[in-house]
Structures are given as C-alpha cells and as structure tokens.
Amino acid sequence: MLLASNVQEEERAAVVQRELLDQASAKAAAEVTALSNKAREYVITGDPVHLDIYNREATALRPVEQRLRNLKDIGASTDELNVLANALRLVDALQDEQREAIKAHQQGDADRARSILFGVEYDRQLDRVAADVERFQYRLDQRTDSEVAAAVNISKLWKTISEIALSITGLLFLCVLYFVFKRRVLRPVVRLSDVVNRLAAQDYAVEPPEYGEIDEIGDMAQAVRVFRENGLERQRLEEERNADFVKRSLLSRMTQRMQECETMHQLERVVGSFVPQIAPGFAGQLYLLDESRNLMVEVCSWLAPVHSRTEFSPAACWALQRGELHRPHGSAADVPCDHLRFDGQPIDSICLPLIAQRTTMGLLYLEPRGDLSEPSLDISETYLKMLAENIGLAVGNLRLRDRLRDMAMADPLTGLANRRRLETVLESQLMEASRTNRPISCIMLDVDHFKRFNDEFGHDAGDAVLRAVGELLKNSMRETDAFRYGGEEFLLLMPDMGAEQALERAEEVRLRIGALQIEHAGRELGAITASLGTATAPSHCTFDKLVRTADAALLRAKEGGRNRVVQAALSGLVGIAKRVAAVDPDVGSSS
C-alpha cells in the first residue's frame, strides 16, 4: 500500500512538472509576443515610452542557455529542450530585426522600419516560434501521458499485491496472537510475580526484568523497580545508620577510656588504638604542644605516616592558626601546611587542632594510608571534629589534673615537693632499690634556731629563710629529690648513692646554707646554719627504716651542737650513733 501510494505521488509529480513546463514555455512565447508588440507600437507611433518599455523588457530577457538550464532543472528532457531551443534562437533572431527596425525609425526611415516588423518574413518567423512552442508542449503532453499511464498500472499492481498481503497478514495475526500473548503477558506476569515474592522476603539482590513498553506490564515492572530501589535505599540507610552507630560507639568508648586515663602515656595508647578504627583509611600522628620550646611534638603515631615532621612550630600549620579543621584537598582546595613533606602533587591531609578551654593543646594529623590502593576517605568531617574535640578535652583534663596534682604535691612556700609527694616517691624508690639491691641514701636537714628568725624578725623573715633554703636545694642538688618534710625540716632522697657520697653531699649542702646571706625588710637576718643527718640503705639500715634512721642521725647532730653532719651508725649497732663527720662551728673543720 505504501508503494502504491508512492506511485500515486510520482503520478502527481509528473502532472505538476507538466504544468510548470507549460507555464515556462508559455512565458517564453509571451515574451516574444510582448517584445514584438512594443517594437511595432514604437515604429507606428514613434512614442519613446514604448521604446523604453521595449529596452527594459529586452534587457531583462535572459540568455538562451540560462532559460534552457532552468527548464532542464524543472525536468525537461534533452529532445524537448532541443525543440524549445530552436524557438528561442528564432526569438533572438527576431530581436535583431526589431533592433534594426527601431534603428531605421530613429534614422527617419519609417517605411523601412514598418516593412521589417510587418513583413511576411517577420510574421512567418513568429509563426515558426509559436509552432516550436506548440511542438514542445505536445511532446510534454506525450511524455506526461506516458508517465501517468505507467504510474496507474504500477499503482494497480501494488494495490493488488497489498490486498493479497493484507489477507495473509490477517491469517498470520491469528497465529501470532497466542504466541505474543503468551510471551508478552503470561511470561512477564510470572516473572514479575517471582520478583515480587523475593522482594517481599527482603531479597533485594533480585533484578526485576526490563520492559520498555508503555503498557500495564511496563507499569507493573516500573512499580517493582521502584519498590526494589526503595528497599535498596532503606538497606543503604540502615547500613549508614549501623556504620554511624558503630563510629559513635567507638567515639563513646574512646571517650570513656580517655576519661579513665591517669597518665599521658595511657592516653596516647588509647588514641593510637581507637583512631585507626574510627578513620580506617588514614594513618596519623598525635602532637602535643611543648610550651617550653613552643613546638608541636609527636607523642604517638599509627599506620606509619610519612609526610608530616615529628616537630614543628605551631605557625607551620594552618589548622592551628585558624583554630579549625584544615583539609587542602577535600571538598574545597586550600593551601597545604608547611609541616608537610611531599613530592609533586600535595596529599589529601587533614589537620585537626586540639582545643580545650579556648587553649590549644595539640594537633591530630591524618593522611591517606600508603598501603591502600583505594583508601576509604569518605569519613564525615563531623566525626573528625568530634574526635578532635574529645581528644582535646581529654588532654586538657589530664594536664589540668597533673597541674592540680603538682599543686597538691608541692609546698606553696618553697616550691619543693611536700610530704604527700614524698610518700609516693619514697615508696617507689625504696621498692626499686630493694628489687635491684642498689644503695639509696637519705639526708634529713633542719634549719638551726629557726624560732629565732620568727621571734626577732617576724614570721615573714622565717618564710624568707625557708624559701631561700628551698631554692638552694632545688637548683644546686643534682641527682637528688628535695622535699619539705615539715616546718623547718627538709629531706633529700638520693637513689644509687652510697654512704660516703651521701656524706659528701650533706657537707656540701651544709656549707652552701652557711654561705646564704638573706636580707628582709632592709635588715640582715644574720648567719643561717643547718644540722643534717644521713643514712644509707642497706649499709646503715633496712630499706623501710631509711627515713627514721636519717632522722635519728639528725637528732644526734642537733644534740651535738648543731651546724654539723652526722651519719647513721652501721647496721647491727642499734641504738649507737657514730659521728662520722661533724664540723666545729668555730673553725669549720670536719670531726
């Protein structure tokens, strides 16, 4: 049927072509007649208006080749164009005679002009032009009739064939209908039913069939796909929620462990254990601020980071300067920190300042792990900020706790460790000395006649004396722990020091104290002396009796006249204090 329709289109095209060619040939004949009439009117009347019209139309008349080319483009055959070409050449010849007649009229020879345009030969040429145009149109008619007849015959043939094909198609349709119904309806419905049952059992791994047709089956398949996508999205959200719960649980457990830490070393172990689980795609380092040197110092690391230095100035890190997370190659490009070392392309590093009570405590640094080809770098910045905040608070709490402990363990007047601190240090030092069987010595020191300073110069003067003695013990005694034992008494604990060395150290301390010159409220306080007793375990006593033995030696030094050093007697001579080194206050020599 389509082919028959195409043949009919060809038939109509042939008729239209015939009409166009008729119009073109008629126009050519009309142009000849118009030019001839205008030339004759000018010759008869002599009116220049007719001459102007003639010249304008003659100028507008296109060459023969161009007019033939236009007709060829429309569809004229070569034989037809040859016939029409003869007519157009005659037209050009007539134009020559017209120009000759016009020229004769302009020269005053009107008779000759009329004889040319109204002569028998001129009329015969006009008739030949008309005959050639008619012959051209006749040939067009013959060709058009032939094409139309052929098109009609072909159209009838295709129409008959289409009727036969339509009948066969009707028979095949009944045969194909069942096959199509089974394939297009029954089978998809069964497959969709199986997919729905598996999706109802939350088996989202099943793939629903693809049906691109827009019908009820396609709508059902689209609904099943939407149901599956919703299930997958719910499953993904559940996984994210579970992962979020796991990370929050890790953060909570890490926070609890950090709160239970008693020392910075314990905190470092907690950070090194939990951070790789919270940020599994990153290696990292924990830095703490060394206030004495104003440097960030690495205290622990995990998973072997390589790009950040172990020590650097806080000014070398943008996170510390800005007080917030800095990630130069995350969602927004930024400037890398100066403490990083890399070749070529900067790394996707993360710097997190550790801040507590508006004070910078340190830095948490993370970088992609070098042993992973595709590291998991999609950790939320919220978790990272929570992580840094918790670590910062834990570091701040530990430092505050240490500061408070130091304050509780220090004597506020002299700055030395107090008796409470002595109990802790003494226990550990005695246990270590007993375990390794190494000597440990103790010096008990008492400022002589201390009550005199309070009574004569006031309690502030007595405090000045104690502060001066405490400063002397704190700054000049190497490898010695100095404590204020109580009142005007001080204790020096010297691990790994034998009896002779302890005696020499005690004498050095006595001389240094005797050299002190203290002025208070514009007045010299006078000479300051001290009595000292020394003891060494296990030479003089057992480890647990070291302080009591040194105190007994001090008592004997005071009883012996003060401003002297007395060493405890050797073990086994209980109750007998042998003066090993006593100095006469007048001459300053040992006795």
Side-chain angles (χ1 to χ4, degrees), residues 437-489:
N437 197 28
R438 292 181 178 179
I440 181 170
S441 298
C442 175
I443 298 176
M444 290 291 293
L445 182 153
D446 185 271
V447 179
D448 296 332
H449 307 293
F450 180 73
K451 188 174 182 300
R452 176 179 66 84
F453 296 106
N454 288 335
D455 294 342
E456 185 176 346
F457 300 101
H459 288 280
D460 289 343
D463 292 344
V465 172
L466 294 177
R467 278 195 296 270
V469 174
E471 188 70 20
L472 182 148
L473 296 177
K474 181 167 58 177
N475 294 334
S476 61
M477 297 296 101
R478 300 183 303 275
E479 302 175 0
T480 301
D481 292 327
F483 304 87
R484 185 181 179 189
Y485 195 70
E488 65 274 18
E489 289 187 334

Side-chain angles (χ1 to χ4, degrees), residues 105-262:
H105 184 275
Q106 289 175 343
Q107 292 175 353
D109 192 355
D111 292 336
R112 184 171 178 274
R114 290 189 187 94
S115 65
I116 293 173
L117 294 179
F118 291 96
V120 175
E121 183 59 28
Y122 187 85
D123 288 337
R124 187 165 44 251
Q125 289 181 356
L126 284 176
D127 291 339
R128 286 179 60 188
V129 170
D132 287 340
V133 171
E134 289 178 358
R135 189 162 55 253
F136 172 76
Q137 292 177 343
Y138 174 73
R139 292 192 177 185
L140 283 177
D141 291 339
Q142 283 184 326
R143 180 164 63 85
T144 302
D145 292 341
S146 176
E147 290 177 354
V148 169
V152 168
N153 293 332
I154 294 174
S155 176
K156 289 180 179 179
L157 176 62
W158 283 119
K159 184 177 179 181
T160 303
I161 294 174
S162 66
E163 291 174 350
I164 296 172
L166 185 61
S167 301
I168 296 173
T169 302
L171 294 174
L172 291 175
F173 178 77
L174 296 176
C175 299
V176 172
L177 182 61
Y178 173 74
F179 174 77
V180 172
F181 178 77
K182 180 178 179 181
R183 182 180 179 85
R184 186 66 188 88
V185 179
L186 294 179
R187 186 179 298 175
V189 169
V190 172
R191 291 186 63 187
L192 288 175
S193 177
D194 178 64
V195 171
V196 169
N197 290 332
R198 292 179 63 180
L199 291 176
Q202 295 187 351
D203 180 10
Y204 298 112
V206 61
E207 289 286 345
E210 292 285 344
Y211 298 114
E213 293 81 357
I214 304 176
D215 54 12
E216 289 77 4
I217 301 297
D219 293 342
M220 289 174 61
Q222 180 64 23
V224 171
R225 281 194 294 273
V226 171
F227 181 77
R228 176 177 177 268
E229 290 171 0
N230 290 337
L232 289 173
E233 183 65 17
R234 286 195 302 272
Q235 197 174 56
R236 185 186 65 80
L237 292 175
E238 287 183 5
E239 292 175 355
E240 288 184 357
R241 184 181 62 185
N242 293 337
D244 180 78
F245 177 77
V246 169
K247 288 190 182 297
R248 289 182 180 274
S249 298
L250 284 171
L251 282 170
S252 176
R253 197 178 317 125
M254 178 181 176
T255 302
Q256 293 174 359
R257 298 297 179 270
M258 288 191 298
Q259 290 175 350
E260 296 166 358
C261 292
E262 294 292 336

Side-chain angles (χ1 to χ4, degrees), residues 258 353-357 361 387-397:
M258 288 191 298
L354 306 181
I355 300 175
Q357 292 86 38
M361 300 292 175
L387 180 64
E389 181 179 354
N390 291 340
I391 296 176
L393 290 175
V395 172
N397 290 338

Side-chain angles (χ1 to χ4, degrees), residues 288-307:
L288 294 181
L289 178 62
D290 184 349
E291 296 180 352
S292 62
R293 298 187 296 161
N294 192 31
L295 290 177
M296 285 292 166
V297 180
E298 176 190 328
V299 295
C300 69
S301 64
W302 52 93
L303 303 178
V306 296
H307 294 288

Side-chain angles (χ1 to χ4, degrees), residues 319-341:
L320 296 174
Q321 294 188 56
R322 296 163 55 207
E324 61 183 26
L325 182 146
H326 184 71
R327 188 173 189 177
H329 285 269
S331 57
D334 209 331
V335 181
C337 296
D338 292 336
H339 62 89
L340 298 180
R341 298 169 297 191

